[in-house]
Amino acid sequence: MTSRDIEQGAAWIKEARDIVVFTGAGVSAESGIATFRDEDGLWAKFSPSQFGTWQGLLDVAISEPHRIAEYLTTLLDPIAAARPNPAHRAIAEIERHRRVTVITQNVDGLHGDAGSSRILEIHGSLLDIVGPMREPIRRLHRSDLARIVTLLREARGESSMHRPMGADPSTGFEISPRDLFSILAPFMTLGTGVFCRPSIVLFGEAMAEPAWSQAVHAAENADLMIVVGTSGMVYPAAFLPSQARAAGARLLAVNKESIDADLMLHGSAAEIVPALVSTAFG
Ligand code: NAD
């Protein structure tokens, strides 16, 4: 990538009237949240067939609750501590100059924290607890996620002192399904008898609505789509760039690896996106 590429991308941003920024896990990597497919990512330690579906999670919660506790600790700890990085902030900055819709596959809430106002979370959010009809129940704070992690770690600390029978042999970590649920219940309002859950979309589930329908509409009406930090391997989200292009939009991509785009800028989102925005409007 050359400074000429940045100038070309910045010129497209300046020329555009309706911009969609479509983001994936890579935009949050520099906020300390690993992508799931990284070598040290979530799917390297926890199989998606077990931990990526509600049925799988429920089965593991009953048969190996310590694995759920480890999974939740690994998933929630970085998100609890995360803050927007320069890429999230530069994306929010574009709104001061152009009409922008942020379509994100991420569940970490960082675009909102950075100040973007029109955000479509097509895979839901870990911070939004919804009821059986996906109706909003409550919004968690990052401090709630941090509290869950602390409680799970405390449970681990106590149990590893006692090394009970049936504990995970590698860590000595034992927790009963009941203890697991009693840690989570205050945050998920399970105690009310209503089954509540984070609004995240797991494998095989329908996309979050109305965000998904609005995202398709926004993609078809954009004249520029900036695709940041997504591998394009998760469907149907991965259809959005080709839908935007078919409707006449240019595709500008920022990624560490090559993906299909009209202009591909290789490298770190936290470096390239601010460079684009300051070249366009600085
Ligand atoms: P992915 O893991 O399939 O792909 C991430 C992409 O980001 C890769 O192409 C990688 O080259 C690129 N990348 C990594 N670091 C980067 C950086 N610093 N700068 C620029 N690019 C970088 O992610 P995906 O396409 O978003 O699909 C994974 C699914 O998992 C999504 O549905 C998403 O919801 C979920 N997920 C969410 C989070 C989060 O909320 N932060 C994190 C991991 C996964």
Side-chain angles (χ1 to χ4, degrees):
M1 187 197 56
T2 63
S3 58
R4 205 183 237 182
D5 292 329
I6 293 282
E7 276 162 28
Q8 175 70 76
W12 286 4
I13 292 173
K14 256 182 127 166
E15 283 166 26
R17 283 189 304 179
D18 258 300
I19 299 179
V20 162
V21 184
F22 176 48
T23 66
V27 78
S28 294
E30 286 152 287
S31 292
I33 306 171
T35 74
F36 290 171
R37 288 187 189 79
D38 275 344
E39 269 176 35
D40 58 343
L42 207 67
W43 298 147
K45 295 181 204 130
F46 303 95
S47 93
S49 61
Q50 280 184 304
F51 293 88
T53 67
W54 289 111
Q55 188 57 53
L57 285 169
L58 204 61
D59 291 346
V60 181
I62 292 162
S63 60
E64 294 179 285
H66 64 270
R67 289 285 288 153
I68 295 289
E70 287 166 1
Y71 167 75
L72 288 176
T73 306
T74 309
L75 174 71
L76 299 182
D77 198 24
I79 296 183
R83 298 289 174 269
N85 68 52
H88 298 105
R89 290 198 292 272
I91 290 166
E93 165 76 16
I94 305 174
E95 259 185 48
R96 292 180 46 203
H97 310 276
R98 293 292 180 276
R99 202 160 43 225
V100 181
T101 303
V102 177
I103 302 175
T104 189
Q105 299 167 82
N106 294 344
V107 295
D108 56 30
L110 289 175
H111 285 296
D113 289 358
S116 284
S117 60
R118 184 164 161 72
I119 305 163
L120 302 173
E121 293 174 316
I122 58 177
H123 289 162
S125 169
L126 263 174
L127 296 161
D128 281 329
I129 303 297
V130 294
M133 309 302 290
R134 283 192 168 266
E135 69 280 18
I137 301 287
R138 62 180 297 212
R139 173 98 181 154
L140 299 180
H141 298 286
R142 279 181 210 285
S143 58
D144 294 317
L145 303 187
R147 182 77 189 131
I148 292 172
V149 171
T150 302
L151 291 169
L152 290 169
R153 288 211 168 114
E154 281 172 8
R156 177 187 188 135
E158 277 169 27
S159 56
S160 56
M161 272 191 288
H162 302 306
R163 300 251 165 193
M165 295 289 288
D168 175 358
S170 60
T171 61
F173 183 12
E174 172 67 342
I175 187 169
S176 69
R178 206 181 59 180
D179 288 346
L180 187 59
F181 280 106
S182 71
I183 288 173
L184 297 177
F187 303 95
M188 314 246 303
T189 54
L190 289 167
T192 61
V194 179
F195 181 73
C196 302
R197 48 168 279 192
S199 69
I200 52 171
V201 173
L202 298 187
F203 290 114
E205 286 197 295
M207 300 292 271
E209 288 292 0
W212 174 244
S213 302
Q214 291 170 353
V216 171
H217 185 261
E220 288 173 348
N221 285 284
D223 48 10
L224 174 66
M225 180 179 273
I226 310 174
V227 183
V228 187
T230 175
S231 63
M233 284 168 63
V234 178
Y235 285 88
F239 285 126
L240 290 173
S242 46
Q243 274 171 305
R245 187 190 250 161
R250 286 166 163 159
L251 290 189
L252 168 59
V254 179
N255 200 309
K256 287 193 162 172
E257 61 182 359
S258 283
I259 62 163
D260 182 32
D262 299 313
L263 179 59
M264 176 71 232
L265 304 180
H266 286 100
S268 137
E271 286 170 18
I272 295 174
V273 182
L276 281 170
V277 176
S278 65
T279 305
F281 305 116

